[in-house]
Amino acid sequence: MVNKRQRLTILHHTQNEEEDEDSSEGEEEEQEQSCDADEEDEERQAGSQQQQQQQQEGNKIKIKLASNVCKVCGQQGHSAGFQGSIYVDCINKPCYLCKQLGHTTATCPYRIISPGFGVKPAGGTQGSVARSLANREVSPSSNKPQPCPPRQPKFQVSAAIMKLHSRRVTVLEFHPMRENIVLSADKKGGIAAWDFAKVNERTLYSDCHKYLVSGMKHVSWFADPTFATGSADGTAKLLDLECGLHSQMIDLNPNGYTTEKEWKMVNSVEVSTDLKAIICGDSDGRVHVLDPRQKRCVTSLQLHKKGNKVCCLGIHPHESRLVASGSNDHTVRLFDVRGFCSRLLDDGSGPSAPGPTSTTPPSAGSVGPSEDQQQKKQPRGGKSHVSHPAEISQLPHPRVVNAVSFSPVTGQRLLTTCQDNRLRVWDNTLSACNGDGPSREIVHSHDFNRYLSPFKAEWDPKDLTESNFVIGRYISEDHGGVALHACDIIRADTGAYTAQLFDYNLPTISPVNKPHPTRDLIVSGSSRSLFLWSRVADDEDDLEEGAAVGPRGASSAEPSATADKRRLQPRIPFTLYDADPDSEKKKPKGGKGKGKGKGSDSD
């Protein structure tokens, strides 16, 4: 018989065993639960990682490598962009040069440099008396012998001054008395005189204007060398080059800046020697006649539609009363100054006192507007504009007119530069005054002036036949892997290229060019620098005409990239004068700035 103490001991052991079993089972369950939790955590982490990978894969840009996909229109079968140093257009877009579909700029037929290509006879009123007289004067079948244009010499860059201006060059003019000095103006209002014979000598006039200088012409009847200048600050001034002093003739913003719409700019300047007056056009379509002696405005004329710019002016070299003005209203207007200013006399006495605007038509025997031409016109946008009695005729253009000029010797021809990549030539001013269309249209690449100065064709004053003019080119040509932009010399009578000026020392665009009045020299303004083209020496005349000319002592046929870089090193007489040394610091990081495209140039 088991006593009471033994029974209690047995019960205690059995309870402990049950508790140990229960605790071991609980530990096993806890271990199983912890293992399950660990597995769930691992599954969650794996799922989150998969989700992150899927999100990352979804955010990635998928690029399909295809060499025949156009970057412009996105279609296959062709490509567009730079191929080496040449930019190839999209075939689904109009050709940049001739504005026609079906080919690219690289394959444009108008790029062939030969007579007949790039020239398009423009239609006009063929039955007018003026047209008949003009055709009789310039017709090859006339008994009058046709003069032969002089042989065009070859040119190369012979001197340069780098970074003369703080902003891009806008105007070039030669000194009237010293033939080795050229005057240049920039976008910031600065004017400089550069002696290209000594290369490193320069004079700066930095306080004449505050903004872009749009025009600069010599006032010949002053004893000291004096220039009339116009600027986007709304002023026209007289600048004395000897002492550097300037005097104001007109201020279109006497109250200063109010609003952008009310701010007016002087966009063009011309000088009439016979009338001893200065004519300037503003940004509101008005033409102003200034008296430089009294330094004030004599009268003004709302010649173009209000709100449009008078982009350019041209004065006939012998009939100073005949003035041509080009505007962004897509017209060139010929007018007689005497029709709106009775104070301008034919005897050359010039304006002496202000007077009311006269609406008296020109006297008998002079070229004046007809009744049909005084009716309403339909310029840009189809909006009517009533012509002024002083207006002789209107010459419509498809786009903005950058330049208009009469031929420098006789004034027989009229030349316009339009932003539709066309140069238009009237062989006889009489037909232009009659409103007839141009004698020919010359296709040329100059449709770009967003970050460049406007391209303007300049007559060669040395050519007595009035056949040659100079203009810069926008589209580049490939020369040994280097993209060079030419300065073209073109014949006005045939449209053929007389010369294409290339030089490895000038790899940038040259929209501003000026032929020397007496010497075989051409000065080009490219960005902030000036380059001098001079005639190639006689022992170098065996170079192929139209070929690129390398620096002295360098071969222009070296094909390698290293040779191209070596050829671009300036070995010509040059000087470096950085008018804005902080310009490099102002450029955005990454090497990408505005205007860095297929035809951009530094500002």
Side-chain angles (χ1 to χ4, degrees):
M1 184 175 182
V2 181
N3 56 16
K4 185 176 181 179
R5 179 176 293 178
Q6 289 177 346
R7 285 200 303 272
L8 290 174
T9 303
I10 293 169
L11 288 172
H12 179 69
H13 284 294
T14 55
Q15 289 177 358
N16 290 337
E17 289 177 358
E18 291 177 356
E19 290 178 357
D20 292 338
E21 290 178 358
D22 294 337
S23 62
S24 61
E25 291 177 358
E27 290 178 356
E28 291 177 356
E29 290 179 357
E30 289 179 356
Q31 290 178 358
E32 291 178 356
Q33 291 177 359
S34 62
C35 291
D36 294 338
D38 293 338
E39 290 178 357
E40 290 178 358
D41 292 339
E42 291 177 355
E43 290 178 357
R44 289 174 184 173
Q45 290 178 0
S48 62
Q49 290 178 358
Q50 291 178 358
Q51 290 178 358
Q52 290 178 0
Q53 290 178 358
Q54 291 176 359
Q55 290 178 358
Q56 290 177 358
E57 291 177 357
N59 293 332
K60 288 181 179 179
I61 299 176
K62 297 179 180 180
I63 301 176
K64 295 180 180 180
L65 299 177
S67 58
N68 60 343
V69 176
C70 178
K71 299 178 182 178
V72 178
C73 64
Q75 298 182 8
Q76 295 184 357
H78 65 280
S79 60
F82 277 100
Q83 295 183 3
S85 59
I86 301 299
Y87 188 88
V88 179
D89 296 337
C90 174
I91 60 174
N92 294 325
K93 300 292 183 180
C95 169
Y96 176 81
L97 181 57
C98 66
K99 312 298 183 184
Q100 298 177 4
L101 288 169
H103 59 269
T104 63
T105 305
T107 59
C108 181
Y110 291 103
R111 295 190 67 167
I112 302 175
I113 310 303
S114 62
F117 285 91
V119 181
K120 174 186 174 184
T125 307
Q126 301 294 333
S128 64
V129 176
R131 168 69 71 173
S132 301
L133 293 175
N135 289 338
R136 187 183 70 179
E137 292 294 327
V138 301
S139 175
S141 61
S142 175
N143 295 328
K144 179 180 177 181
Q146 297 297 319
C148 181
R151 178 179 179 271
Q152 186 65 45
K154 303 178 181 67
F155 290 88
Q156 69 178 10
V157 174
S158 59
I161 182 167
M162 314 300 292
K163 300 182 180 180
L164 173 63
H165 292 276
S166 58
R167 294 295 183 270
R168 57 181 164 88
V169 177
T170 57
V171 182
L172 289 175
E173 287 290 336
F174 285 98
H175 196 282
M177 302 175 184
R178 302 176 61 184
E179 61 179 11
N180 58 327
I181 292 180
V182 61
L183 302 175
S184 57
D186 62 22
K187 182 182 176 182
K188 200 175 181 180
I191 299 175
W194 176 45
D195 188 347
F196 51 79
K198 300 181 180 178
V199 182
N200 59 349
E201 289 196 5
R202 68 213 175 258
T203 304
L204 302 178
Y205 308 92
S206 57
D207 59 344
C208 186
H209 292 286
K210 298 180 181 179
Y211 307 120
L212 182 147
V213 179
S214 55
M216 184 167 50
K217 293 294 181 180
H218 175 229
V219 184
S220 60
W221 60 89
F222 277 61
D224 297 329
T226 304
F227 277 77
T229 61
S231 171
D233 59 8
T235 63
K237 297 182 178 181
L238 291 174
L239 174 62
D240 189 338
L241 298 181
E242 292 295 330
C243 57
L245 298 178
H246 53 84
S247 57
Q248 182 172 288
M249 294 181 292
I250 187 174
D251 186 3
L252 301 179
N253 307 289
N255 299 324
Y257 181 82
T258 54
T259 61
E260 185 176 355
K261 292 183 179 180
E262 295 179 359
W263 183 264
K264 297 179 181 179
M265 300 176 287
V266 176
N267 294 320
S268 53
V269 174
E270 270 293 346
V271 173
S272 176
T273 305
D274 294 340
L275 302 176
K276 291 184 171 55
I278 295 173
I279 304 175
C280 62
D282 65 12
S283 57
D284 199 31
R286 299 186 69 87
V287 175
H288 307 271
V289 180
L290 311 178
D291 186 349
R293 296 170 297 181
Q294 298 187 7
K295 297 181 177 58
R296 59 173 175 171
C297 179
V298 176
T299 187
S300 300
L301 167 66
Q302 188 70 46
L303 187 63
H304 292 268
K305 185 177 179 296
K306 190 175 180 61
N308 289 305
K309 300 178 182 179
V310 182
C311 301
C312 52
L313 289 171
I315 295 182
H316 196 280
H318 300 295
E319 298 291 340
S320 294
R321 66 179 184 272
L322 182 58
V323 182
S325 63
S327 171
N328 62 350
D329 66 356
H330 301 180
T331 62
V332 170
R333 300 173 189 257
L334 299 174
F335 63 94
D336 193 328
V337 180
R338 301 173 304 171
F340 68 95
C341 184
S342 59
R343 299 289 180 176
L344 296 178
L345 305 178
D346 290 340
D347 57 3
S349 59
S352 58
T357 300
S358 173
T359 58
T360 305
S363 59
S366 62
V367 180
S370 63
E371 294 180 359
D372 296 336
Q373 291 166 349
Q374 293 181 14
Q375 294 178 356
K376 293 183 178 181
K377 308 289 181 178
Q378 295 293 330
R380 180 180 181 180
K383 298 180 181 179
S384 62
H385 172 78
V386 180
S387 61
H388 194 275
E391 183 178 303
I392 298 173
S393 66
Q394 293 185 19
L395 307 177
H397 286 68
R399 294 184 63 185
V400 179
V401 181
N402 288 337
V404 56
S405 59
F406 295 92
S407 53
V409 181
T410 64
Q412 181 179 357
R413 284 194 170 105
L414 181 67
L415 172 65
T416 64
T417 307
C418 184
Q419 287 187 13
D420 65 340
N421 275 350
R422 299 295 192 275
L423 300 163
R424 290 172 173 82
V425 181
W426 282 260
D427 284 333
N428 196 291
T429 306
L430 185 60
S431 63
C433 292
N434 195 57
D436 293 340
S439 304
R440 66 193 56 84
E441 296 179 2
I442 304 172
V443 179
H444 184 265
S445 173
H446 53 260
D447 176 21
F448 191 90
N449 64 342
R450 186 176 181 183
Y451 302 113
L452 300 173
S453 300
F455 290 83
K456 298 182 180 181
E458 291 281 350
W459 290 101
D460 186 358
K462 302 182 297 298
D463 183 10
L464 300 180
T465 63
E466 300 179 326
S467 299
N468 293 322
F469 60 86
V470 181
I471 184 171
R473 191 192 304 178
Y474 171 63
I475 296 179
S476 62
E477 298 287 345
D478 185 14
H479 288 271
V482 181
L484 300 180
H485 302 264
C487 295
D488 297 322
I489 303 177
I490 305 176
R491 287 190 57 173
D493 53 350
T494 62
Y497 280 61
T498 304
Q500 303 174 78
L501 308 185
F502 293 99
D503 197 297
Y504 288 105
N505 294 298
L506 181 50
T508 53
I509 305 173
S510 303
V512 186
N513 303 275
K514 192 73 174 179
H516 198 280
T518 58
R519 300 169 58 184
D520 288 332
L521 300 173
I522 299 174
V523 176
S524 297
S526 180
S527 185
R528 299 161 51 194
S529 307
L530 299 182
F531 295 84
L532 177 69
W533 297 89
S534 64
R535 184 172 180 173
V536 177
D538 294 336
D539 56 350
E540 300 177 7
D541 278 345
D542 55 347
L543 291 176
E544 182 181 357
E545 186 170 352
V549 178
R552 296 175 180 175
S555 174
S556 59
E558 297 176 0
S560 63
T562 306
D564 292 334
K565 293 181 180 179
R566 185 168 62 252
R567 282 182 294 184
L568 291 175
Q569 297 298 325
R571 301 180 184 178
I572 58 173
F574 82 102
T575 183
L576 175 62
Y577 175 78
D578 197 345
D580 189 7
D582 297 330
S583 60
E584 297 295 332
K585 300 179 181 179
K586 298 176 184 178
K587 293 183 180 180
K589 295 181 179 180
K592 293 183 179 181
K594 68 176 184 178
K596 300 299 181 184
K598 71 174 180 180
S600 66
D601 196 6
S602 60
D603 208 32

